[in-house]
Amino acid sequence: MAQRPVLIAIDGPAGAGKSATAREVAVRLGLPYLDTGAMYRAVALLAARAGLGAELDAAGREAVVELARRLDVRFLGDPRNLRVAVEGEDVTGALRAPEVSRMASVVSAIPEVRREMVRRQRELAALAGGVVEGRDIGTVVFPDATLKVFLTAAPEVRAQRRFDELSARGVVARWESVAAEQRERDLRDSTRPDSPLKPADGAVIVDSSRLSLAEVVDAVVALLPPTP
Ligand code: DC
């Protein structure tokens, strides 16, 4: 019987260290890496460029759904130097802007947008497997994943990480507003009716508050069941 490809689902709130962990686990195991948040961010970027704001009326929602259906997003390069291209334009940096983060949380609550992204994510990772990072990977996209990890950390640790990440990119922000933005986003992501953020059945909860990146990566790799 053909063996199923190895698929590792990493879900969790913003700032838990999902991206860094998923990238390093992918490199360690020689697996593809899929950042599903970047797909929602790409829809958000296009919506913002189309002049749509966070308060969407019915027409606005329909416009966002149409953008999601027509989305041309590509991932280029290896996991450590991943670039995201939308319609051929490198938008890797633009996707991290605070207003895009906020809008991504809004557009990702629209069920038709989710349906479209989930369909694409399954297509992308079904063949070769991979390390797939997001909010609903273990609960909805790949409930049969080889390993499901729910990566979390204390709220103040997560806010500090986001703050440091923004500072490193030269973005001037107040610590309080970064923490408040994150609280608002986490609340929206975990209370939306469609695919709320929560640990999947069978997921292993890893708290990264007091662990280094290398320790988290070791912990995730050690959780992989032995290949038969
Ligand atoms: O992981 P991230 O911060 O790049 O995600 C951006 C937004 O997209 C976040 O508000 C949650 C949402 N998202 C989601 O709903 N489902 C996913 N699988 C990935 C991200």
Side-chain angles (χ1 to χ4, degrees):
M1 214 170 77
Q3 238 171 24
R4 283 201 312 150
V6 173
L7 206 141
I8 302 177
I10 303 186
D11 291 303
K18 296 188 300 295
S19 293
T21 304
R23 284 167 201 257
E24 291 306 314
V25 170
V27 169
R28 178 93 69 92
L29 301 174
L31 289 170
Y33 160 63
L34 180 60
D35 173 3
T36 64
M39 299 171 77
Y40 292 98
R41 284 173 183 271
V43 176
L45 178 70
L46 293 178
R49 283 185 179 174
L52 296 159
E55 306 299 326
L56 291 171
D57 58 13
R61 287 165 67 92
E62 196 37 57
V64 172
V65 172
E66 204 40 45
L67 287 171
R69 291 199 178 119
R70 290 206 314 261
L71 179 69
D72 166 18
V73 63
R74 277 155 222 242
F75 294 96
L76 313 161
D78 59 88
R80 281 193 188 130
N81 303 294
L82 191 81
R83 312 299 302 174
V84 188
V86 169
E87 285 159 17
E89 177 194 345
D90 187 334
V91 293
T92 315
L95 292 187
R96 299 284 135 197
E99 59 278 15
V100 174
S101 303
R102 180 135 174 272
M103 193 65 183
S105 174
V106 172
V107 304
S108 65
I110 303 175
E112 293 88 341
V113 171
R114 301 204 67 81
R115 214 173 305 142
E116 178 63 26
M117 296 304 114
V118 168
R119 185 183 67 73
R120 291 167 182 238
Q121 289 154 19
R122 288 187 178 139
E123 245 172 50
L124 282 168
L127 220 58
V131 184
V132 187
E133 165 214 334
R135 302 290 189 290
D136 60 341
I137 310 306
T139 50
V140 175
V141 189
F142 293 111
D144 297 334
T146 320
L147 170 65
K148 294 184 258 186
V149 173
F150 190 85
L151 189 60
T152 189
E156 59 282 7
V157 173
R158 297 191 289 105
Q160 187 63 45
R161 285 180 186 158
R162 195 55 98 203
F163 180 80
D164 292 344
E165 191 186 311
L166 288 171
S167 310
R169 287 194 291 112
V171 179
V172 182
R174 282 176 54 241
W175 196 92
E176 290 75 17
S177 22
V178 172
E181 266 292 317
Q182 203 167 58
R183 268 198 306 277
E184 188 193 318
R185 214 144 71 79
D186 284 342
L187 184 70
R188 197 184 293 121
D189 295 343
S190 48
T191 54
R192 65 182 176 218
D194 188 345
S195 320
L197 168 69
K198 62 172 182 198
D201 284 342
V204 181
I205 297 178
V206 175
D207 187 328
S208 72
S209 304
R210 291 164 190 276
L211 300 177
S212 67
L213 174 59
E215 288 170 326
V216 178
V217 173
D218 285 346
V220 172
V221 171
L223 286 168
L224 255 187
T227 35

